[in-house]
């Protein structure tokens, strides 16, 4: 088998899981490595602790490799929200963001603005279709705007933002802050077009909670004050007492304390598996799985609010059925794991989603359409 085939073989969950945009069940390799690392930490031996400590650098280097960045500017964070806090709390001026963003963006921006006492001002936009396009941003740009904060892939619809077009629109004098939770490791992108990229390994990377990261470009480091910088974010190489060293010159200025080595190990393994399989191969396979979900939904007359063009989507398909609660109940009773919110039902396959899961989806929608399903 090829390395990519080996990667697909690691998706060992029972058929029916279509909720990768919410949580990614841990991969076998991540589970194996975290148990091994935990045993090493249980020994207390300095040599064992040092081995696990190496996970920190490994995670930084692997994330940097996929970003096309310098590992010194990749920081390990407790979550993507922690990375966004590092970026937004250190900014001033107006920051453009959509009101419909995931709270990691919108709520963090609002709290940062409140803490700044007027130095930072949210510039909210509310596109009618919820899609943050260059046209939607262009209408609110002026000399006061210092940054744009946006999700690379919208968590509700799966719309993939054109980051190159946004970069061209806002120019070099404004920062582009990108939440890549729903895209990193799934789609090939020119992340260098952004100035800050945050992510988290607990979804598509299958690495569990606590595996956040954030990258800060040179331009970002020039303009974002390291307000939340802690003991690991200084120029000091070790513990310094009775002195207050300045912030580090690298992205490490935007860190608070030593990361969780077990979390770093999980992130390192999750990213390593993606790198070895190849992001391009994962993207192609995922696109085929999404095409299959769209075809099934269309065939059964279920409306879809997600983009259909491959270049404008990643792994999310959002259904807009006439009876969302009833459809969600049908999925649950059939053993399909999805996310139901209000009038929508979100499906999120992965590259390793098997044919049995797609068949289960097809059969459930057929029963639903024929009204043979009896709600619990």
């Amino acid at each position: 088998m090829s390395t990519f085939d080996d990667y697909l073989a690691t998706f060992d969950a029972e058929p029916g899981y279509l909720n990768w945009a919410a949580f990614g069940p841990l991969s076998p390799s991540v589970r194996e490595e975290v148990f091994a690392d935990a045993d090493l930490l249980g020994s207390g031996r300095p040599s064992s602790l040092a081995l696990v400590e190496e996970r920190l650098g490994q995670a930084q280097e692997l994330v940097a490799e996929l970003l096309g960045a310098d590992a010194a500017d990749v920081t390990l964070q407790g979550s993507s929200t922690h990375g966004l806090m590092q970026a937004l709390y250190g900014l001033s001026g107006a920051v453009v963001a959509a009101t419909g963003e995931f709270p990691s963006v919108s709520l963090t921006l609002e709290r940062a603005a409140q803490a700044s006492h007027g130095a930072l001002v949210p510039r909210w936009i509310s596109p009618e279709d919820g899609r943050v396009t260059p046209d939607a941003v262009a209408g609110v740009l002026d000399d006061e705007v210092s940054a744009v904060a946006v999700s690379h892939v919208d968590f509700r619809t799966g719309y993939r933002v054109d980051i190159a077009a946004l970069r061209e629109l806002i120019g070099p004098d404004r920062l582009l802050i990108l939440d890549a939770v729903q895209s990193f490791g799934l789609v090939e992108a020119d992340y260098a077009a952004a100035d800050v990229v945050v992510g988290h390994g607990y979804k598509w990377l299958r690495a569990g909670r606590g595996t956040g990261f954030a990258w800060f470009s040179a331009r970002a480091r020039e303009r974002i004050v390291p307000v939340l910088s802690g003991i690991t974010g200084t120029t000091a190489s070790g513990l310094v007492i009775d002195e207050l060293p300045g912030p580090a010159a690298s992205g490490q200025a935007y860190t608070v304390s030593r990361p969780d080595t077990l979390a770093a190990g999980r992130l390192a393994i999750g990213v390593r598996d993606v790198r070895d399989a190849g992001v391009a191969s994962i993207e192609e396979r995922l696109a085929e799985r999404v095409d299959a979900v769209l075809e099934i939904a269309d065939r059964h007359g279920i409306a879809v609010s997600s983009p259909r063009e491959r270049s404008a989507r990643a792994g999310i398909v959002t259904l807009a059925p006439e009876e969302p609660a009833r459809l969600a109940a049908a999925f649950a009773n059939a053993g399909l794991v999805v996310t139901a919110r209000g009038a929508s039902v979100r499906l999120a396959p992965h590259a390793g989603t098997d044919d049995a899961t797609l068949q289960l989806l097809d059969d459930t929608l057929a029963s639903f359409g024929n009204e043979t399903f009896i709600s619990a």
Side-chain angles (χ1 to χ4, degrees), residues 27-84:
S27 69
S29 55
V30 166
R31 300 196 300 264
E32 291 169 7
E33 292 293 340
V34 75
F35 292 149
D37 286 350
D39 284 341
L40 287 171
L41 291 181
S43 74
R45 290 189 296 270
S47 59
S48 297
L49 302 185
L51 281 174
V52 182
E53 192 84 1
E54 292 176 2
R55 295 296 198 186
L56 304 179
Q58 292 169 7
Q60 287 175 261
E61 290 167 4
L62 285 160
V63 170
E65 184 177 344
L66 290 194
L67 289 174
D70 188 334
D73 298 322
V74 172
T75 65
L76 302 183
Q77 306 282 345
S79 70
S80 55
T81 305
H82 284 83
L84 287 167

Side-chain angles (χ1 to χ4, degrees), residues 222-284:
E222 290 174 358
R223 304 180 188 186
I224 298 174
V225 179
V227 174
L228 303 179
S229 185
I231 190 172
T232 57
T234 73
T235 55
S237 58
L239 181 63
V240 177
I241 305 297
D242 297 326
E243 295 180 29
L244 296 174
S250 69
Q252 300 313 303
Y254 307 100
T255 62
V256 176
S257 63
R258 295 291 287 176
D260 179 352
T261 51
L262 288 176
R266 287 186 277 112
L267 177 60
I269 298 304
V271 178
R272 183 205 65 188
D273 289 350
V274 165
R275 181 206 60 186
D276 291 350
V279 175
S281 297
I282 291 173
E283 181 174 7
E284 177 62 26

Side-chain angles (χ1 to χ4, degrees), residues 114-160:
Q114 292 169 350
S116 76
H117 302 292
L120 179 69
V121 179
R123 182 73 60 83
W124 299 113
I125 59 175
S126 299
E128 186 174 343
D129 59 3
R131 301 182 181 186
V132 180
T133 64
D135 287 344
V137 174
V140 298
L141 286 183
D142 58 28
D143 292 341
E144 295 179 356
V145 173
S146 62
V148 174
V150 65
S151 293
H152 192 190
V153 173
D154 178 57
F155 79 102
R156 296 170 303 170
T157 66
Y159 171 72
R160 192 201 311 185

Side-chain angles (χ1 to χ4, degrees), residues 181-322:
V181 166
Q182 300 287 11
S183 64
F184 182 79
L186 285 183
V187 298
E188 290 195 308
D190 181 13
Y191 289 110
D195 298 291
V196 177
V197 178
V198 306
H200 203 152
Y202 80 98
K203 298 176 186 283
W204 306 93
L205 297 178
R206 306 187 290 163
R209 287 279 185 180
T211 55
F213 61 87
W215 166 72
F216 298 86
S217 71
R219 181 163 46 195
R221 299 195 307 276
E222 290 174 358
R223 304 180 188 186
I224 298 174
V225 179
V227 174
L228 303 179
S229 185
I231 190 172
T232 57
T234 73
T235 55
S237 58
L239 181 63
V240 177
I241 305 297
D242 297 326
E243 295 180 29
L244 296 174
S250 69
Q252 300 313 303
Y254 307 100
T255 62
V256 176
S257 63
R258 295 291 287 176
D260 179 352
T261 51
L262 288 176
R266 287 186 277 112
L267 177 60
I269 298 304
V271 178
R272 183 205 65 188
D273 289 350
V274 165
R275 181 206 60 186
D276 291 350
V279 175
S281 297
I282 291 173
E283 181 174 7
E284 177 62 26
R285 172 73 173 191
L286 178 59
E288 294 172 357
R289 300 285 88 178
V290 170
D291 284 342
V293 171
L294 289 169
E295 188 277 328
I296 292 170
D298 289 343
R299 183 153 36 81
H300 294 291
I302 304 295
V304 174
S305 61
S306 297
R308 293 177 178 272
E309 305 84 5
R310 287 190 174 189
S311 62
R313 72 185 199 212
I316 293 172
V317 178
T318 300
L319 307 182
E322 294 181 0

